[in-house]
Amino acid sequence: MTIVGTLSAPFFARIFGKIKTVIIFQMLSVPFLFILSVTYNLPLVTNFSLEVVNENDRAFVSGILNITWFFAWGISASISGKIIETQVYFIP
């Protein structure tokens, strides 16, 4: 979804102007941000994972789930940051 907004922003900026385009895109992103915040707080996967594990191993499994989530989050942020730095954004 982000790539669609990024690639279409110059087109809409020519039609509506830069300020109006920023306002429109910001307003359009609010529902997606709300959905993202609500779904992250629904611990369905974590609850299911911890229900099927032995009670003595739940703390360990919870830790592994958190480590893998934050590891993937950190790696993807590093990779995307490097792509943006080297390929997409140039200082004029």
Side-chain angles (χ1 to χ4, degrees):
M1 199 62 162
T2 303
I3 192 148
V4 172
T6 302
L7 293 176
S8 65
F11 172 75
F12 288 114
R14 274 180 266 164
I15 294 173
F16 299 114
K18 292 179 182 177
I19 304 274
K20 287 182 182 177
T21 301
V22 168
I23 293 170
I24 291 168
F25 274 67
Q26 291 293 320
M27 295 303 287
L28 289 174
S29 70
V30 170
F32 294 106
L33 292 172
F34 177 73
I35 291 169
L36 189 70
S37 69
V38 171
T39 57
Y40 179 74
N41 292 328
L42 290 175
L44 298 176
V45 174
T46 304
N47 283 346
F48 175 73
S49 300
L50 296 179
E51 283 178 2
V52 297
V53 173
N54 188 356
E55 190 171 332
N56 294 332
D57 296 331
R58 288 184 183 164
F60 177 75
V61 171
S62 178
I64 293 295
L65 290 172
N66 284 321
I67 287 171
T68 55
W69 168 259
F70 286 111
F71 179 76
W73 191 38
I75 293 296
S76 64
S78 298
I79 292 171
S80 63
K82 198 57 156 170
I83 291 170
I84 289 171
E85 178 185 11
T86 60
Q87 302 295 324
V88 180
Y89 293 112
F90 297 102
I91 298 174

